[in-house]
């Protein structure tokens, strides 16, 4: 039905019949993270707009076109967070987490916001999960971080994904790679979009990231960063690849991966599932060794990745994987007659106190309506309370799977239900 106030374009409601799938993803994600020693961090949903402009980059699509920026009543500029890395790094710096010794392993999930044209797998509010390791530049950490993503997808039962990796190399303005890009793109200037002409002057690396078909066609044969790596960066990348091979994580090197955010400096990777269509990247991430310094902290290397639950669910659908089970009550209380109806709420409360999920609907009075409700909710037992049972001080417990029914004292019924919940 249409409403006077429909939800904003590019957003969605997660209805109760689906919410168990989200819960399942949250549980599996946190469980897999815990196996690697990651602890959850929860940061605000809005941050100073400058934080993203400075870190994600003011020539990136996210900042230029997609950020929800607003001013508060005192005229301070904020942004709904478009991604999680900059806020996590901000929190790391602000809370002196480098003092805790060793690299910080932080994971997070929650809504992010990007104003983009909505389509399958792309929303204006989406639910992102991700992790960051701040304080280590070891190539073993790159491999381990990628290993978390692989294990997450395997644990969910997904098999149809592909890991692509690349090395971007630390960007220094005017370096050999940038010069090569300018040299390559300048003769094609007229074929480029307005934005790319600006990028040619301001941030040539961004030329590789434009989504406009004309620009993509030109970028197809552009130089790739992998050919311009310093010997140290090359060695780092080779070690990462060696670890991945020994960890049995299949990957392909794709020198065309650029990533859409400015903070990347080294290993970059994407996990793609081609069956998802245009929005096929399940997970994307990489190394950002300059970001902590940029955000005002003492220089620390960092690496991480993030993905969206929505695309994960699409991938699960593709592979016909159910993702968790809907919550259902263990028992439905069926009250027959006025006296039983008076006793039922307290009975339900005692059962819940014992730890059982209980359904009782006082608006249904007939046996038929109450049994139908029990059937619909998927309860495995009905606890029937009628005048007879009340008089005898017992309850009738019916197993809804096989129809077997027995009269029990309330305490016995609770014990049996707890045993079988
Ligand atoms: P990103 O590539 O911008 O990277 O986003 C990561 C993932 O978030 C995407 O691969 C996709 O699964 C999901 N995603 C992004 N935008 C949308 C959208 N509009 N609708 C639905 N899903 C979306 C980052 O955000 C970096 N912070 C990742 C990172 C962490 N790098 C290092 N650490």
């Amino acid at each position: 039905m249409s409403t006077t106030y429909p939800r904003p374009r590019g957003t969605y409601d997660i209805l109760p019949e689906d919410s168990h799938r989200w819960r399942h993803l949250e549980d599996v994600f946190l469980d897999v993270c815990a196996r690697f020693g990651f602890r959850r961090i929860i940061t605000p949903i809005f941050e100073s707009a400058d934080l993203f402009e400075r870190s994600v980059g003011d020539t990136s699509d996210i900042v230029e076109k997609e950020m929800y920026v607003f001013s508060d009543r005192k005229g301070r500029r904020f942004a709904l967070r478009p991604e999680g890395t900059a806020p996590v790094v901000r929190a790391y710096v602000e809370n002196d987490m480098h003092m805790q010794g060793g690299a910080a392993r932080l994971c997070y999930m929650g809504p992010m916001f990007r104003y983009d044209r909505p389509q399958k797998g792309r929303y204006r509010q989406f639910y992102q999960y991700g992790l960051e390791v701040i304080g280590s530049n070891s190539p073993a950490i790159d491999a381990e971080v990628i290993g978390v993503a692989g294990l997450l997808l395997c644990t969910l039962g997904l098999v149809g994904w592909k890991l692509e990796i690349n090395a971007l190399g630390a960007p220094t303005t005017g370096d050999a790679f940038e010069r090569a890009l300018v040299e390559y793109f300048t003769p094609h200037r007229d074929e480029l979009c307005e934005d790319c002409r600006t990028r040619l002057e301001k941030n040539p690396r961004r030329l590789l990231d434009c989504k406009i078909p004309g620009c993509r066609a030109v970028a197809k044969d552009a130089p790739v960063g992998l050919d311009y790596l310093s010997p140290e960066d090359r060695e780092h990348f080779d070690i990462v690849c060696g670890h991945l091979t020994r960890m049995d994580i299949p990957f392909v090197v794709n020198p065309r991966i650029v990533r859409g955010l400015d903070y990347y400096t080294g290993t970059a990777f994407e996990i793609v599932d081609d069956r998802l269509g245009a929005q096929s990247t399940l997970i994307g991430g990489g190394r950002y060794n300059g970001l902590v310094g940029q955000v005002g902290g003492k220089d620390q290397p960092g690496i991480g990745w993030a993905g969206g639950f929505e695309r994960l669910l699409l991938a699960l659908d593709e592979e016909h994987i159910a993702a968790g089970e809907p919550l259902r009550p263990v028992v439905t209380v069926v009250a027959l007659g006025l006296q039983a109806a008076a006793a039922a709420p307290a009975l339900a409360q005692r059962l819940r106190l014992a730890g059982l999920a209980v359904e009782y609907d006082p608006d249904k009075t007939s046996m038929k309506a109450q049994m139908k409700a029990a059937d619909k909710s998927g309860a495995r037992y009905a606890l029937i309370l009628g005048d007879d049972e009340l008089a005898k001080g017992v309850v009738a417990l019916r197993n809804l799977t096989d129809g077997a029914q027995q009269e029990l004292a309330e305490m016995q019924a609770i014990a049996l239900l707890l045993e079988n919940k």
Side-chain angles (χ1 to χ4, degrees):
M1 217 194 323
S2 66
T3 101
T4 321
Y5 308 106
R7 59 175 185 264
R9 199 163 119 76
T11 67
Y12 51 83
D13 300 309
I14 304 166
L15 299 176
E17 50 268 35
D18 281 329
S19 59
H20 66 279
R21 305 185 77 207
W22 294 73
R23 167 92 186 261
H24 178 71
L25 295 186
E26 290 174 348
D27 288 349
V28 173
F29 172 65
L30 291 177
D31 176 61
V32 169
C33 283
R35 282 190 242 171
F36 289 80
F38 284 84
R39 291 184 305 156
R40 185 172 182 185
I41 181 165
I42 302 174
T43 62
I45 280 178
F46 67 102
E47 297 266 358
S48 139
D50 293 348
L51 171 68
F52 301 107
E53 284 160 1
R54 180 114 181 75
S55 57
V56 174
D58 48 14
T59 51
S60 66
D61 275 0
I62 294 179
V63 166
E64 261 192 344
K65 302 181 187 152
E66 298 171 5
M67 219 155 57
Y68 282 90
V69 179
F70 63 96
S71 298
D72 73 1
R73 285 169 191 272
K74 292 232 164 109
R76 287 171 289 228
R77 278 177 76 248
F78 290 106
L80 294 181
R81 60 181 184 195
E83 60 102 49
T85 309
V88 167
V89 168
R90 194 266 313 134
Y92 174 90
V93 172
E94 196 164 344
N95 295 289
D96 291 323
M97 290 171 79
H98 65 281
M99 307 281 279
Q100 293 174 1
R105 290 166 176 251
L106 307 165
C107 63
Y108 53 90
M109 56 189 169
M112 308 284 164
F113 305 84
R114 294 183 193 178
Y115 185 88
D116 201 347
R117 201 170 46 77
Q119 54 174 269
K120 182 180 159 196
R122 187 162 76 197
Y123 306 90
R124 290 184 176 168
Q125 175 174 335
F126 58 102
Y127 200 88
Q128 208 186 48
Y129 59 99
L131 53 81
E132 316 293 343
V133 178
I134 307 173
S136 170
N137 193 35
S138 166
I141 290 291
D142 300 35
E144 188 179 323
V145 156
I146 294 172
V148 187
L151 194 66
L152 171 71
L153 299 179
C154 290
T155 306
L156 288 169
L158 289 169
V159 291
W161 48 271
K162 192 165 81 210
L163 167 65
E164 301 189 343
I165 94 164
N166 188 19
L168 303 176
T172 41
T173 316
D175 63 11
F177 179 42
E178 235 165 55
R179 283 201 304 277
L181 287 173
V182 172
E183 203 168 295
Y184 173 84
F185 278 99
T186 303
H188 297 282
R189 200 169 186 284
D190 295 344
E191 298 154 58
L192 300 175
C193 73
E194 194 65 40
D195 285 344
C196 277
R197 282 185 223 158
T198 313
R199 288 173 185 141
L200 193 53
E201 267 119 55
K202 279 202 184 161
N203 189 352
R205 279 180 162 77
R206 283 267 75 78
L207 287 161
L208 299 170
D209 191 35
C210 186
K211 294 177 187 96
I212 293 178
C215 301
R216 286 184 103 151
V218 178
K220 197 164 60 63
D221 298 318
V224 292
L226 210 50
D227 295 334
Y228 293 84
L229 290 183
S230 68
E232 304 84 70
D233 286 343
R234 180 77 228 187
E235 193 193 356
H236 184 105
F237 184 63
D238 290 341
I239 298 174
V240 176
C241 292
H243 282 308
L244 290 175
T245 306
R246 285 186 295 279
M247 286 162 84
D248 229 0
I249 301 175
F251 66 93
V252 289
V253 174
N254 177 358
R256 299 262 151 220
I257 291 180
V258 283
R259 311 282 302 128
L261 307 90
D262 273 357
Y263 49 63
Y264 292 112
T265 55
T267 310
F269 53 90
E270 290 185 345
I271 295 185
V272 291
D273 184 334
D274 291 332
R275 296 166 305 181
L276 300 192
Q279 303 304 315
S280 61
T281 311
L282 282 177
I283 286 176
R287 197 162 258 296
Y288 47 82
N289 286 354
L291 186 56
V292 179
Q294 255 173 36
V295 169
K298 191 173 140 290
D299 251 341
Q300 288 282 352
I303 182 166
W305 54 253
F309 271 1
E310 298 81 1
R311 294 185 195 177
L312 216 43
L313 287 171
L314 289 171
L316 288 164
D317 287 344
E318 280 293 333
E319 298 190 21
H320 307 288
I321 299 171
E325 280 195 28
L327 289 178
R328 51 182 194 156
V330 177
V331 57
T332 295
V333 171
V334 175
L336 303 170
L338 286 179
Q339 278 187 354
L347 171 63
Q349 182 77 0
R350 288 193 295 280
L351 296 170
R352 290 171 182 139
L353 193 62
L356 294 161
V358 180
E359 171 192 61
Y360 170 62
D361 183 350
D363 292 323
K364 297 196 171 65
T365 48
S366 75
M367 177 84 166
K368 195 171 159 208
Q370 292 185 76
M371 293 308 286
K372 212 167 138 191
D375 198 41
K376 192 166 167 223
S377 69
R380 270 170 294 138
Y381 291 90
L383 218 145
I384 304 164
L385 196 60
D387 290 344
D388 274 4
E389 285 80 14
L390 271 178
K392 285 199 254 172
V394 294
V395 291
L397 185 67
R398 185 182 295 180
N399 181 329
L400 296 173
T401 317
D402 60 14
Q405 186 166 318
Q406 51 187 328
E407 261 185 16
L408 297 168
E410 185 180 308
M411 215 162 66
Q412 290 175 312
I414 291 178
L416 194 145
L417 288 167
L418 284 173
E419 191 95 325
N420 295 288
K421 84 175 181 175

